[in-house]
Amino acid sequence: MAQKILIVEDEAKIARFLELELKYEGYEVDIATNGREGLDKGLQPDVDLIVLDLMLPILSGIEVCRRIRQSSNVPIIMLTAKDDVSDKVMGLDMGADDYLTKPFAIEELLARTRVALKREVSKKVTESNTLSYKNLTLNKDQRQIMIDHEEVILTKKEFELLVYLLENRNIVLSRENILEKVWGFEYYGDTNIIDVYIRYLRGKIDQRFSINMIHTVRGVGYVIKDEK
């Protein structure tokens, strides 16, 4: 699926030129011609990167960037006709990832676009492999658990059980469900093994670090709940 780039630019010729070049590179492209439209489209979850002009009608590029950053980390490359350091600094302070001063070579914009998108993909992969709860951080790739900068050593099944509980936070998981997902269909033993491993985890994490993490739902199973 092609990555989607939003161009927020009020100069029609520039917007059309960028659209054609980006589409030629294989990106899906959408265009907004003012700040309000750019803000509305920029907050859509399917946008992978925004090319945002500084000088826009209705809302300035700086204001659009500031408002987007309140709820989204989508990469933003800001375009400015002013070769003014203060404008660039303001854009970066508002959360822009990069900037280009007009006129610019399209090759440079394409290169910066590739870098920004690659960086974002890498960040998402890293985030998807990391789970956290309070002061606990679990890295699935490295099979490492850290609490307050101290590593917690778990067995393979203890680790897999904790991952499953963390990935399903706020969902009460039955013993049968846990047995199926963590131990697999090849296991034919009693579901009491779940209770045993929950005790192991509580001993190594809850009790050791005074974290009330794993909750028992009587007659059903277990859950890790976010504190309200």
Side-chain angles (χ1 to χ4, degrees):
M1 185 175 178
Q3 291 169 299
K4 183 174 181 178
I5 297 176
L6 172 64
I7 301 169
V8 189
E9 169 63 69
D10 63 320
E11 293 186 47
K13 289 183 179 180
I14 294 177
R16 180 58 175 163
F17 172 68
L18 295 178
E19 179 186 19
L20 291 174
E21 291 291 336
L22 289 166
K23 281 186 174 180
Y24 182 78
E25 293 296 315
Y27 300 112
E28 180 183 348
V29 180
D30 194 8
I31 294 175
T33 58
N34 62 65
R36 170 57 63 185
E37 184 185 11
L39 176 61
D40 292 341
K41 290 186 174 183
L43 290 173
Q44 297 303 308
D46 61 340
V47 174
D48 295 296
L49 181 140
I50 301 173
V51 177
L52 177 64
D53 190 30
L54 180 69
M55 304 296 290
L56 292 167
I58 305 180
L59 286 177
S60 71
I62 293 293
E63 183 62 15
V64 172
C65 184
R66 185 188 72 80
R67 294 192 191 186
I68 287 176
R69 277 293 172 263
Q70 291 176 350
S71 59
S72 172
N73 289 316
V74 62
I76 296 174
I77 298 176
M78 189 162 281
L79 306 180
T80 174
K82 299 178 180 179
D83 192 11
D84 189 330
V85 173
S86 63
D87 288 322
K88 297 172 184 176
V89 170
M90 188 182 301
L92 295 172
D93 283 346
M94 287 299 106
D97 298 87
D98 203 350
Y99 66 85
L100 279 172
T101 302
K102 296 177 182 178
F104 53 84
I106 187 62
E107 291 80 10
E108 184 174 8
L109 175 62
L110 294 175
R112 296 192 184 207
T113 296
R114 288 191 294 270
V115 169
L117 288 171
K118 184 177 180 180
R119 184 165 55 234
E120 187 65 13
V121 169
S122 177
K123 185 170 69 174
K124 287 180 178 179
V125 169
T126 300
E127 289 174 352
S128 68
N129 287 321
T130 302
L131 301 169
S132 60
Y133 179 82
K134 296 183 180 179
N135 51 343
L136 179 151
T137 301
L138 182 151
N139 186 294
K140 291 191 285 186
D141 280 346
Q142 299 177 7
R143 299 189 72 84
Q144 183 184 59
I145 299 169
M146 301 294 293
I147 299 178
D148 292 333
H149 307 293
E150 184 176 343
E151 185 171 6
V152 178
I153 306 299
L154 299 182
T155 66
K156 182 175 183 292
K157 273 291 177 275
E158 290 168 354
F159 184 88
E160 291 173 355
L161 174 57
L162 181 58
V163 167
Y164 188 59
L165 289 169
L166 285 170
E167 286 181 336
N168 292 276
R169 283 162 67 164
N170 302 308
I171 299 174
V172 179
L173 302 170
S174 69
R175 291 172 177 81
E176 292 76 14
N177 182 276
I178 295 172
L179 195 65
E180 175 187 325
K181 297 298 183 180
V182 179
W183 272 261
F185 290 108
E186 74 277 3
Y187 182 82
Y188 296 102
D190 198 294
T191 58
N192 286 340
I193 192 171
I194 307 300
D195 303 321
V196 173
Y197 273 80
I198 290 293
R199 284 201 299 271
Y200 291 161
L201 287 180
R202 283 174 169 163
K204 293 182 176 181
I205 297 175
D206 293 50
Q207 295 166 18
R208 180 181 169 189
F209 294 94
S210 300
I211 301 175
N212 186 24
M213 181 173 66
I214 304 174
H215 300 269
T216 301
V217 179
R218 192 174 299 277
V220 183
Y222 298 97
V223 62
I224 292 178
K225 294 189 294 186
D226 288 324
E227 291 187 339
K228 296 182 180 180

